Amino acid sequence: MANTDFHLQFQEFEDEQGFTENNQGATTVTIDDPIKSRKQRKATGTAFEEEDDDDKTELLSGQRKSAPFWTFEYYQTLFDVDSHQVKNRIVGSILPWPGKNFIEVYLRSNPDLYGPFWICATLVFAIAVSGNISSFLVHQGQPKFRYVPDFSKVTMAATAIYSYAWLVPLALWGFLTWRNRKITSLVSYSFLQIVCVYGYSLSIYIPAVILWIIPNEGLRWCSIVVALCLSGSVLVLTFWPAIRDDKPRITTAIISTIVILHVLLAVGCKACFFSTYEMDPSKYHNEPSTATNTSSTN
Amino acid sequence: MAEVEESSKRMFAGLSDISISEDIPVEGDISVPVRSQNADDDFSTLDEPVKDTILRDLRAVGQKFVHVLYPKKSSALLKDWDLWGPLLLCVTLALMLQGGSADSGDDGRPQFAEVFVIIWFGSVIITLNSKLLGGTISFFQSLCVLGYCILPLTVAMIVCRIVLLGSISSISFVVRLIVVTASFCWSTFASTAFLADSQPANRKALVVYPVFLFYFVIGWMILTFSPSP
C-alpha cells in the first residue's frame, strides 16, 4: 500500500526549476519572461511578494547589471520598476520609520532612475507654475500690473534642482567611499542608490510647493518645516548605518551637511520664486511712463 | 526497418510534449511583400505632377488629424508614421505663442525656440522613457503619436486667441480655462489610446504620467498667454 501511495502522490513542482531537475526525460520549452513570473508571484499572494522579490533580486544581483554601460540594456535595468513599486518608494520616502532604512527596505539592490528623474521634472514645473500663480495673486489688486508669464523661472529651477539631485549624491558617495577605505563599515551604498534616495526624498516638496501658492507667510514656513522634517529624517535614517562606525566628529559633520544642504534647497527655492513682497511693482509702473516720456520728447 | 522506426519513434516521443504556455504574448510585425508593388510605384511617382505628390502627403496628414480628433483604438497612426503633422502643429503653436510683438520688453514670454525645444525635447524624453520601461513601440512612431496629439491644444490656442480679441476680463479667463482643460484632457486621452497597448501591463501608469506632465506644461503655456497691447 505504501509503495502505491508514493507513486500515486501528487507532487507539487515549483515553476521552472522543478521540471528541469526532476524530469530529465521530458522536453520542456520554457521561455524566460520576468514579467510573467512576477505576475505569478503576485497571484500567490501579495504577502509573500516582498520576500520573493528579495530572493529573486539577491539571486540575480550578481547578474543584474552585467551589461556594459554603453548599451541600451544597461539603462533598461535601471528602469526595471513597476507602478506599485514606485508608489511604495514614494510613500516610504515621505514617512520615516525609525527602524526602516529606505535603501534596504525599498531599494534592495534595485535602484531605479525613473523616480529621481521624473520627481525632479515634476518639481521643476510645479515650482515654475506655482511661482507664476503666486506672483499673479500678489499683484492682482494693482491697476497697472499686466501679468506676464515668467518663463525664465523654469530654467533656473531646473538647474538648481537637477544639480542638487545629482551633484550632492556624487559628493556624498565620493566621501563615503573614501571613508570606507579607512573604516570598513558593514554598509556601503552605491552611487545609484544614493541618487535614488535623494530623488525620492524630493517628492515631499511637490505638495509643499503647491501649498506655497497661498500668499500667507505663516503657512509657507509651516509647510517648509514639515517637509524638511519628514524628508530630512528619511535621509538621516538612511545614511546613519553607513557612518555610525566612524569618528563622532565626522559623523556629525556628515549629518549636519546633509541637513543643511536640504534646508538650503528648500529656503532658496522659496526665496527665489515666491516672495510675497515684490520689488518689481516700481518696474512695471516706470516702464510705460518712461516710454511715453521718450515718445513725447521725440 | 521496423526496429529503426520504433527507436526513432521512441527518440522523438518526448517532443510531442512541447508546449508553449498561452499567456506569453507573441507579437511582431509581418511585412507582407506588398512593398515591391510600392517600389514600382515609387519609380512612377517621378512622372506624376507635383500637385499629386503634395496632395497625397497632405491627405495622409489630414487623415491622421481625423484619427486624433476621434480617437479609437486603431493602429492607423502607428503603421505609417510621419513627422510632417507634428512639425506643422509645433511651428503653428510656437508662432501663435509669440504674441506678434517684436519688442523684447516682455521677455518673460516663452520664445519661439523655447517652445520648439520643449515640444521636441519633451517628446524625445517621453519616448526614451517608454522604451526604457520596456515598451515595444518604435522611436519615431512614438514621436509621431505625441506630435499629432498636440492638435487639440493647438485648436485651443486658436480659440484662446479669438477670445482674447475681446476684452481681457475674468470671464474670458474662465472660458479659456475651460477650453484649455478640455483640450488637455482630450490630448492625454488620445495619446494614451494609441500608446497604451504597447506597454507592459504593470507599468502603464509609469508611462502615462510623463505624457500627462508634457501636455500639462503645454496647456499651461497656452493658458498664461497674454497678448501685447
Side-chain angles (χ1 to χ4, degrees), chain B residues 83-127:
Chain B
L83 292 179
W84 283 113
L87 182 66
L88 192 66
L89 289 172
C90 182
V91 167
T92 312
L93 195 59
L95 280 177
M96 282 199 290
L97 278 171
Q98 290 308 297
S101 69
D103 63 348
S104 59
D106 299 330
D107 51 9
R109 182 175 295 128
Q111 306 292 320
F112 180 88
E114 282 173 343
V115 177
F116 209 78
V117 159
I118 279 189
I119 292 181
W120 286 101
F121 198 56
S123 304
V124 166
I125 289 202
I126 293 177
T127 308

mmCIF file of all heavy atoms in Angstrom, chain B residues 83-127:
data_model
loop_
_atom_site.group_PDB
_atom_site.id
_atom_site.type_symbol
_atom_site.label_atom_id
_atom_site.label_comp_id
_atom_site.label_asym_id
_atom_site.label_seq_id
_atom_site.Cartn_x
_atom_site.Cartn_y
_atom_site.Cartn_z
ATOM 1 N N LEU B 83 6.363 62.665 -39.732
ATOM 2 C CA LEU B 83 6.596 63.759 -38.794
ATOM 3 C C LEU B 83 6.187 65.107 -39.365
ATOM 4 O O LEU B 83 6.486 66.136 -38.773
ATOM 5 C CB LEU B 83 8.071 63.788 -38.381
ATOM 6 C CG LEU B 83 8.505 62.588 -37.540
ATOM 7 C CD1 LEU B 83 9.970 62.693 -37.196
ATOM 8 C CD2 LEU B 83 7.705 62.528 -36.262
ATOM 9 N N TRP B 84 5.494 65.110 -40.530
ATOM 10 C CA TRP B 84 5.071 66.393 -41.091
ATOM 11 C C TRP B 84 4.026 67.051 -40.206
ATOM 12 O O TRP B 84 4.068 68.256 -39.960
ATOM 13 C CB TRP B 84 4.465 66.180 -42.486
ATOM 14 C CG TRP B 84 5.492 65.951 -43.529
ATOM 15 C CD1 TRP B 84 5.703 64.810 -44.223
ATOM 16 C CD2 TRP B 84 6.466 66.890 -43.998
ATOM 17 N NE1 TRP B 84 6.730 64.965 -45.089
ATOM 18 C CE2 TRP B 84 7.222 66.230 -44.974
ATOM 19 C CE3 TRP B 84 6.769 68.216 -43.681
ATOM 20 C CZ2 TRP B 84 8.257 66.852 -45.655
ATOM 21 C CZ3 TRP B 84 7.810 68.834 -44.358
ATOM 22 C CH2 TRP B 84 8.525 68.154 -45.333
ATOM 23 N N GLY B 85 3.050 66.249 -39.770
ATOM 24 C CA GLY B 85 1.993 66.793 -38.929
ATOM 25 C C GLY B 85 2.518 67.397 -37.648
ATOM 26 O O GLY B 85 2.186 68.541 -37.321
ATOM 27 N N PRO B 86 3.356 66.661 -36.890
ATOM 28 C CA PRO B 86 3.900 67.263 -35.683
ATOM 29 C C PRO B 86 4.685 68.540 -35.945
ATOM 30 O O PRO B 86 4.580 69.505 -35.169
ATOM 31 C CB PRO B 86 4.823 66.165 -35.133
ATOM 32 C CG PRO B 86 4.225 64.917 -35.611
ATOM 33 C CD PRO B 86 3.643 65.229 -36.938
ATOM 34 N N LEU B 87 5.445 68.565 -37.037
ATOM 35 C CA LEU B 87 6.212 69.780 -37.333
ATOM 36 C C LEU B 87 5.288 70.955 -37.586
ATOM 37 O O LEU B 87 5.471 72.057 -37.058
ATOM 38 C CB LEU B 87 7.097 69.534 -38.558
ATOM 39 C CG LEU B 87 7.989 70.707 -38.948
ATOM 40 C CD1 LEU B 87 9.012 70.949 -37.871
ATOM 41 C CD2 LEU B 87 8.666 70.408 -40.262
ATOM 42 N N LEU B 88 4.238 70.697 -38.379
ATOM 43 C CA LEU B 88 3.288 71.760 -38.690
ATOM 44 C C LEU B 88 2.626 72.293 -37.419
ATOM 45 O O LEU B 88 2.543 73.513 -37.190
ATOM 46 C CB LEU B 88 2.229 71.174 -39.636
ATOM 47 C CG LEU B 88 1.284 72.126 -40.338
ATOM 48 C CD1 LEU B 88 2.060 72.974 -41.297
ATOM 49 C CD2 LEU B 88 0.234 71.317 -41.083
ATOM 50 N N LEU B 89 2.172 71.364 -36.571
ATOM 51 C CA LEU B 89 1.498 71.768 -35.344
ATOM 52 C C LEU B 89 2.442 72.519 -34.413
ATOM 53 O O LEU B 89 2.072 73.519 -33.802
ATOM 54 C CB LEU B 89 0.948 70.529 -34.622
ATOM 55 C CG LEU B 89 -0.244 69.866 -35.282
ATOM 56 C CD1 LEU B 89 -0.548 68.569 -34.587
ATOM 57 C CD2 LEU B 89 -1.434 70.770 -35.226
ATOM 58 N N CYS B 90 3.668 72.038 -34.311
ATOM 59 C CA CYS B 90 4.627 72.652 -33.398
ATOM 60 C C CYS B 90 4.957 74.070 -33.838
ATOM 61 O O CYS B 90 4.975 74.999 -33.026
ATOM 62 C CB CYS B 90 5.876 71.780 -33.388
ATOM 63 S SG CYS B 90 7.127 72.337 -32.300
ATOM 64 N N VAL B 91 5.190 74.248 -35.149
ATOM 65 C CA VAL B 91 5.521 75.587 -35.642
ATOM 66 C C VAL B 91 4.334 76.526 -35.459
ATOM 67 O O VAL B 91 4.495 77.679 -35.044
ATOM 68 C CB VAL B 91 5.960 75.500 -37.119
ATOM 69 C CG1 VAL B 91 6.006 76.871 -37.741
ATOM 70 C CG2 VAL B 91 7.311 74.843 -37.218
ATOM 71 N N THR B 92 3.123 76.036 -35.759
ATOM 72 C CA THR B 92 1.931 76.878 -35.587
ATOM 73 C C THR B 92 1.787 77.313 -34.138
ATOM 74 O O THR B 92 1.549 78.503 -33.845
ATOM 75 C CB THR B 92 0.679 76.088 -36.012
ATOM 76 O OG1 THR B 92 0.899 75.479 -37.260
ATOM 77 C CG2 THR B 92 -0.524 76.989 -36.072
ATOM 78 N N LEU B 93 1.924 76.371 -33.225
ATOM 79 C CA LEU B 93 1.772 76.679 -31.802
ATOM 80 C C LEU B 93 2.830 77.668 -31.340
ATOM 81 O O LEU B 93 2.545 78.648 -30.642
ATOM 82 C CB LEU B 93 1.875 75.374 -31.000
ATOM 83 C CG LEU B 93 1.408 75.420 -29.559
ATOM 84 C CD1 LEU B 93 -0.027 75.826 -29.502
ATOM 85 C CD2 LEU B 93 1.575 74.048 -28.937
ATOM 86 N N ALA B 94 4.077 77.444 -31.764
ATOM 87 C CA ALA B 94 5.152 78.323 -31.315
ATOM 88 C C ALA B 94 4.976 79.725 -31.877
ATOM 89 O O ALA B 94 5.252 80.721 -31.198
ATOM 90 C CB ALA B 94 6.503 77.738 -31.724
ATOM 91 N N LEU B 95 4.498 79.820 -33.144
ATOM 92 C CA LEU B 95 4.280 81.146 -33.715
ATOM 93 C C LEU B 95 3.154 81.868 -32.999
ATOM 94 O O LEU B 95 3.234 83.065 -32.728
ATOM 95 C CB LEU B 95 3.943 81.012 -35.201
ATOM 96 C CG LEU B 95 5.136 80.811 -36.129
ATOM 97 C CD1 LEU B 95 4.652 80.631 -37.543
ATOM 98 C CD2 LEU B 95 6.074 81.982 -36.041
ATOM 99 N N MET B 96 2.085 81.127 -32.684
ATOM 100 C CA MET B 96 0.957 81.805 -32.042
ATOM 101 C C MET B 96 1.273 82.200 -30.621
ATOM 102 O O MET B 96 0.635 83.094 -30.075
ATOM 103 C CB MET B 96 -0.269 80.890 -32.075
ATOM 104 C CG MET B 96 -0.931 80.897 -33.427
ATOM 105 S SD MET B 96 -2.604 80.311 -33.343
ATOM 106 C CE MET B 96 -2.303 78.608 -32.991
ATOM 107 N N LEU B 97 2.232 81.525 -29.984
ATOM 108 C CA LEU B 97 2.598 81.904 -28.628
ATOM 109 C C LEU B 97 3.523 83.108 -28.609
ATOM 110 O O LEU B 97 3.945 83.538 -27.546
ATOM 111 C CB LEU B 97 3.282 80.741 -27.913
ATOM 112 C CG LEU B 97 2.334 79.709 -27.310
ATOM 113 C CD1 LEU B 97 3.121 78.511 -26.823
ATOM 114 C CD2 LEU B 97 1.588 80.303 -26.141
ATOM 115 N N GLN B 98 3.850 83.651 -29.784
ATOM 116 C CA GLN B 98 4.746 84.786 -29.799
ATOM 117 C C GLN B 98 4.026 86.069 -29.475
ATOM 118 O O GLN B 98 4.605 87.018 -28.980
ATOM 119 C CB GLN B 98 5.408 84.922 -31.176
ATOM 120 C CG GLN B 98 6.394 83.838 -31.449
ATOM 121 C CD GLN B 98 7.391 83.711 -30.342
ATOM 122 O OE1 GLN B 98 8.147 84.630 -30.072
ATOM 123 N NE2 GLN B 98 7.368 82.596 -29.655
ATOM 124 N N GLY B 99 2.760 86.145 -29.808
ATOM 125 C CA GLY B 99 2.018 87.360 -29.495
ATOM 126 C C GLY B 99 2.155 88.434 -30.537
ATOM 127 O O GLY B 99 1.535 89.483 -30.436
ATOM 128 N N GLY B 100 2.987 88.221 -31.527
ATOM 129 C CA GLY B 100 3.055 89.192 -32.605
ATOM 130 C C GLY B 100 3.783 90.476 -32.265
ATOM 131 O O GLY B 100 3.827 91.402 -33.064
ATOM 132 N N SER B 101 4.383 90.550 -31.064
ATOM 133 C CA SER B 101 5.082 91.787 -30.734
ATOM 134 C C SER B 101 6.569 91.590 -30.900
ATOM 135 O O SER B 101 7.124 90.567 -30.531
ATOM 136 C CB SER B 101 4.795 92.177 -29.293
ATOM 137 O OG SER B 101 5.402 91.265 -28.424
ATOM 138 N N ALA B 102 7.219 92.584 -31.463
ATOM 139 C CA ALA B 102 8.639 92.428 -31.725
ATOM 140 C C ALA B 102 9.491 92.965 -30.598
ATOM 141 O O ALA B 102 10.704 92.819 -30.623
ATOM 142 C CB ALA B 102 9.001 93.158 -33.020
ATOM 143 N N ASP B 103 8.845 93.596 -29.599
ATOM 144 C CA ASP B 103 9.679 94.205 -28.556
ATOM 145 C C ASP B 103 10.165 93.140 -27.590
ATOM 146 O O ASP B 103 9.505 92.136 -27.362
ATOM 147 C CB ASP B 103 8.901 95.294 -27.819
ATOM 148 C CG ASP B 103 7.699 94.717 -27.084
ATOM 149 O OD1 ASP B 103 7.356 93.539 -27.335
ATOM 150 O OD2 ASP B 103 7.116 95.425 -26.274
ATOM 151 N N SER B 104 11.310 93.367 -27.028
ATOM 152 C CA SER B 104 11.871 92.398 -26.096
ATOM 153 C C SER B 104 11.638 92.821 -24.649
ATOM 154 O O SER B 104 12.255 92.303 -23.749
ATOM 155 C CB SER B 104 13.369 92.237 -26.353
ATOM 156 O OG SER B 104 13.986 93.502 -26.197
ATOM 157 N N GLY B 105 10.749 93.811 -24.455
ATOM 158 C CA GLY B 105 10.496 94.242 -23.082
ATOM 159 C C GLY B 105 9.815 93.159 -22.265
ATOM 160 O O GLY B 105 10.163 92.891 -21.130
ATOM 161 N N ASP B 106 8.850 92.516 -22.893
ATOM 162 C CA ASP B 106 8.178 91.432 -22.186
ATOM 163 C C ASP B 106 8.934 90.145 -22.453
ATOM 164 O O ASP B 106 8.487 89.292 -23.216
ATOM 165 C CB ASP B 106 6.735 91.287 -22.702
ATOM 166 C CG ASP B 106 5.942 92.555 -22.463
ATOM 167 O OD1 ASP B 106 6.252 93.242 -21.479
ATOM 168 O OD2 ASP B 106 5.054 92.842 -23.258
ATOM 169 N N ASP B 107 10.086 90.034 -21.845
ATOM 170 C CA ASP B 107 10.856 88.831 -22.182
ATOM 171 C C ASP B 107 10.545 87.672 -21.266
ATOM 172 O O ASP B 107 11.289 86.716 -21.209
ATOM 173 C CB ASP B 107 12.346 89.147 -22.168
ATOM 174 C CG ASP B 107 12.715 89.830 -20.870
ATOM 175 O OD1 ASP B 107 11.875 89.878 -19.967
ATOM 176 O OD2 ASP B 107 13.844 90.330 -20.770
ATOM 177 N N GLY B 108 9.449 87.780 -20.520
ATOM 178 C CA GLY B 108 9.065 86.616 -19.753
ATOM 179 C C GLY B 108 8.357 85.589 -20.600
ATOM 180 O O GLY B 108 8.296 84.419 -20.264
ATOM 181 N N ARG B 109 7.794 86.070 -21.710
ATOM 182 C CA ARG B 109 7.051 85.167 -22.583
ATOM 183 C C ARG B 109 8.005 84.159 -23.216
ATOM 184 O O ARG B 109 9.130 84.495 -23.557
ATOM 185 C CB ARG B 109 6.380 86.010 -23.651
ATOM 186 C CG ARG B 109 5.514 85.222 -24.627
ATOM 187 C CD ARG B 109 4.791 86.138 -25.558
ATOM 188 N NE ARG B 109 3.830 86.974 -24.853
ATOM 189 C CZ ARG B 109 3.776 88.274 -24.961
ATOM 190 N NH1 ARG B 109 4.624 88.902 -25.727
ATOM 191 N NH2 ARG B 109 2.873 88.971 -24.322
ATOM 192 N N PRO B 110 7.554 82.895 -23.388
ATOM 193 C CA PRO B 110 8.476 81.915 -23.989
ATOM 194 C C PRO B 110 8.808 82.279 -25.423
ATOM 195 O O PRO B 110 7.951 82.627 -26.225
ATOM 196 C CB PRO B 110 7.691 80.598 -23.911
ATOM 197 C CG PRO B 110 6.279 80.989 -23.751
ATOM 198 C CD PRO B 110 6.287 82.276 -23.001
ATOM 199 N N GLN B 111 10.065 82.184 -25.737
ATOM 200 C CA GLN B 111 10.496 82.450 -27.091
ATOM 201 C C GLN B 111 10.116 81.297 -27.996
ATOM 202 O O GLN B 111 9.781 80.205 -27.545
ATOM 203 C CB GLN B 111 12.019 82.616 -27.109
ATOM 204 C CG GLN B 111 12.530 83.642 -26.156
ATOM 205 C CD GLN B 111 12.120 85.026 -26.578
ATOM 206 O OE1 GLN B 111 12.147 85.340 -27.754
ATOM 207 N NE2 GLN B 111 11.732 85.830 -25.631
ATOM 208 N N PHE B 112 10.191 81.555 -29.292
ATOM 209 C CA PHE B 112 9.882 80.521 -30.277
ATOM 210 C C PHE B 112 10.760 79.296 -30.057
ATOM 211 O O PHE B 112 10.279 78.163 -30.048
ATOM 212 C CB PHE B 112 10.102 81.084 -31.677
ATOM 213 C CG PHE B 112 9.810 80.105 -32.770
ATOM 214 C CD1 PHE B 112 8.550 79.984 -33.294
ATOM 215 C CD2 PHE B 112 10.811 79.273 -33.269
ATOM 216 C CE1 PHE B 112 8.277 79.073 -34.292
ATOM 217 C CE2 PHE B 112 10.551 78.357 -34.275
ATOM 218 C CZ PHE B 112 9.273 78.263 -34.785
ATOM 219 N N ALA B 113 12.046 79.543 -29.856
ATOM 220 C CA ALA B 113 12.968 78.416 -29.718
ATOM 221 C C ALA B 113 12.655 77.621 -28.462
ATOM 222 O O ALA B 113 12.786 76.397 -28.453
ATOM 223 C CB ALA B 113 14.402 78.933 -29.678
ATOM 224 N N GLU B 114 12.227 78.308 -27.402
ATOM 225 C CA GLU B 114 11.940 77.584 -26.173
ATOM 226 C C GLU B 114 10.752 76.658 -26.360
ATOM 227 O O GLU B 114 10.765 75.505 -25.913
ATOM 228 C CB GLU B 114 11.660 78.579 -25.040
ATOM 229 C CG GLU B 114 12.929 79.190 -24.494
ATOM 230 C CD GLU B 114 12.650 80.285 -23.497
ATOM 231 O OE1 GLU B 114 11.519 80.796 -23.466
ATOM 232 O OE2 GLU B 114 13.572 80.637 -22.762
ATOM 233 N N VAL B 115 9.702 77.144 -27.013
ATOM 234 C CA VAL B 115 8.524 76.297 -27.227
ATOM 235 C C VAL B 115 8.895 75.096 -28.092
ATOM 236 O O VAL B 115 8.542 73.956 -27.808
ATOM 237 C CB VAL B 115 7.400 77.107 -27.897
ATOM 238 C CG1 VAL B 115 6.215 76.224 -28.196
ATOM 239 C CG2 VAL B 115 6.986 78.250 -27.024
ATOM 240 N N PHE B 116 9.640 75.392 -29.164
ATOM 241 C CA PHE B 116 10.041 74.330 -30.079
ATOM 242 C C PHE B 116 10.838 73.257 -29.357
ATOM 243 O O PHE B 116 10.573 72.057 -29.475
ATOM 244 C CB PHE B 116 10.897 74.979 -31.174
ATOM 245 C CG PHE B 116 10.841 74.277 -32.485
ATOM 246 C CD1 PHE B 116 9.760 74.437 -33.312
ATOM 247 C CD2 PHE B 116 11.868 73.461 -32.892
ATOM 248 C CE1 PHE B 116 9.688 73.801 -34.529
ATOM 249 C CE2 PHE B 116 11.812 72.814 -34.109
ATOM 250 C CZ PHE B 116 10.727 72.987 -34.933
ATOM 251 N N VAL B 117 11.816 73.727 -28.554
ATOM 252 C CA VAL B 117 12.691 72.783 -27.855
ATOM 253 C C VAL B 117 11.896 71.988 -26.833
ATOM 254 O O VAL B 117 12.091 70.777 -26.697
ATOM 255 C CB VAL B 117 13.850 73.559 -27.180
ATOM 256 C CG1 VAL B 117 14.466 72.748 -26.068
ATOM 257 C CG2 VAL B 117 14.890 73.894 -28.197
ATOM 258 N N ILE B 118 10.974 72.683 -26.142
ATOM 259 C CA ILE B 118 10.202 71.945 -25.137
ATOM 260 C C ILE B 118 9.408 70.838 -25.791
ATOM 261 O O ILE B 118 9.360 69.700 -25.310
ATOM 262 C CB ILE B 118 9.272 72.898 -24.372
ATOM 263 C CG1 ILE B 118 10.060 73.611 -23.288
ATOM 264 C CG2 ILE B 118 8.146 72.133 -23.713
ATOM 265 C CD1 ILE B 118 9.195 74.387 -22.358
ATOM 266 N N ILE B 119 8.761 71.139 -26.918
ATOM 267 C CA ILE B 119 7.904 70.128 -27.533
ATOM 268 C C ILE B 119 8.737 68.964 -28.045
ATOM 269 O O ILE B 119 8.444 67.796 -27.753
ATOM 270 C CB ILE B 119 7.052 70.743 -28.654
ATOM 271 C CG1 ILE B 119 6.043 71.708 -28.046
ATOM 272 C CG2 ILE B 119 6.344 69.669 -29.440
ATOM 273 C CD1 ILE B 119 5.145 72.358 -29.052
ATOM 274 N N TRP B 120 9.794 69.255 -28.781
ATOM 275 C CA TRP B 120 10.536 68.142 -29.372
ATOM 276 C C TRP B 120 11.378 67.404 -28.339
ATOM 277 O O TRP B 120 11.418 66.180 -28.311
ATOM 278 C CB TRP B 120 11.416 68.633 -30.527
ATOM 279 C CG TRP B 120 10.582 68.933 -31.696
ATOM 280 C CD1 TRP B 120 10.173 70.155 -32.127
ATOM 281 C CD2 TRP B 120 9.993 67.973 -32.591
ATOM 282 N NE1 TRP B 120 9.358 70.022 -33.228
ATOM 283 C CE2 TRP B 120 9.235 68.706 -33.533
ATOM 284 C CE3 TRP B 120 10.025 66.593 -32.686
ATOM 285 C CZ2 TRP B 120 8.522 68.090 -34.555
ATOM 286 C CZ3 TRP B 120 9.321 65.977 -33.702
ATOM 287 C CH2 TRP B 120 8.587 66.718 -34.625
ATOM 288 N N PHE B 121 12.038 68.150 -27.482
ATOM 289 C CA PHE B 121 12.850 67.527 -26.455
ATOM 290 C C PHE B 121 11.989 66.729 -25.500
ATOM 291 O O PHE B 121 12.332 65.621 -25.082
ATOM 292 C CB PHE B 121 13.615 68.627 -25.713
ATOM 293 C CG PHE B 121 14.783 68.126 -24.940
ATOM 294 C CD1 PHE B 121 15.775 67.394 -25.550
ATOM 295 C CD2 PHE B 121 14.904 68.387 -23.575
ATOM 296 C CE1 PHE B 121 16.857 66.938 -24.834
ATOM 297 C CE2 PHE B 121 15.985 67.934 -22.869
ATOM 298 C CZ PHE B 121 16.959 67.211 -23.487
ATOM 299 N N GLY B 122 10.817 67.281 -25.156
ATOM 300 C CA GLY B 122 9.898 66.560 -24.292
ATOM 301 C C GLY B 122 9.421 65.272 -24.937
ATOM 302 O O GLY B 122 9.354 64.229 -24.286
ATOM 303 N N SER B 123 9.096 65.330 -26.238
ATOM 304 C CA SER B 123 8.656 64.114 -26.921
ATOM 305 C C SER B 123 9.756 63.064 -26.939
ATOM 306 O O SER B 123 9.500 61.871 -26.705
ATOM 307 C CB SER B 123 8.246 64.422 -28.368
ATOM 308 O OG SER B 123 7.266 65.410 -28.406
ATOM 309 N N VAL B 124 10.995 63.499 -27.183
ATOM 310 C CA VAL B 124 12.097 62.534 -27.227
ATOM 311 C C VAL B 124 12.280 61.886 -25.864
ATOM 312 O O VAL B 124 12.458 60.673 -25.760
ATOM 313 C CB VAL B 124 13.384 63.247 -27.691
ATOM 314 C CG1 VAL B 124 14.597 62.389 -27.413
ATOM 315 C CG2 VAL B 124 13.310 63.553 -29.163
ATOM 316 N N ILE B 125 12.186 62.694 -24.813
ATOM 317 C CA ILE B 125 12.402 62.132 -23.481
ATOM 318 C C ILE B 125 11.288 61.165 -23.114
ATOM 319 O O ILE B 125 11.537 60.107 -22.525
ATOM 320 C CB ILE B 125 12.508 63.274 -22.447
ATOM 321 C CG1 ILE B 125 13.811 63.996 -22.661
ATOM 322 C CG2 ILE B 125 12.401 62.745 -21.053
ATOM 323 C CD1 ILE B 125 14.305 64.741 -21.489
ATOM 324 N N ILE B 126 10.049 61.495 -23.480
ATOM 325 C CA ILE B 126 8.958 60.583 -23.163
ATOM 326 C C ILE B 126 9.124 59.291 -23.940
ATOM 327 O O ILE B 126 8.872 58.189 -23.415
ATOM 328 C CB ILE B 126 7.602 61.230 -23.471
ATOM 329 C CG1 ILE B 126 7.376 62.392 -22.530
ATOM 330 C CG2 ILE B 126 6.479 60.237 -23.325
ATOM 331 C CD1 ILE B 126 6.110 63.109 -22.812
ATOM 332 N N THR B 127 9.551 59.389 -25.195
ATOM 333 C CA THR B 127 9.771 58.179 -25.984
ATOM 334 C C THR B 127 10.873 57.324 -25.373
ATOM 335 O O THR B 127 10.720 56.098 -25.248
ATOM 336 C CB THR B 127 10.143 58.564 -27.418
ATOM 337 O OG1 THR B 127 9.180 59.467 -27.915
ATOM 338 C CG2 THR B 127 10.204 57.345 -28.293
#
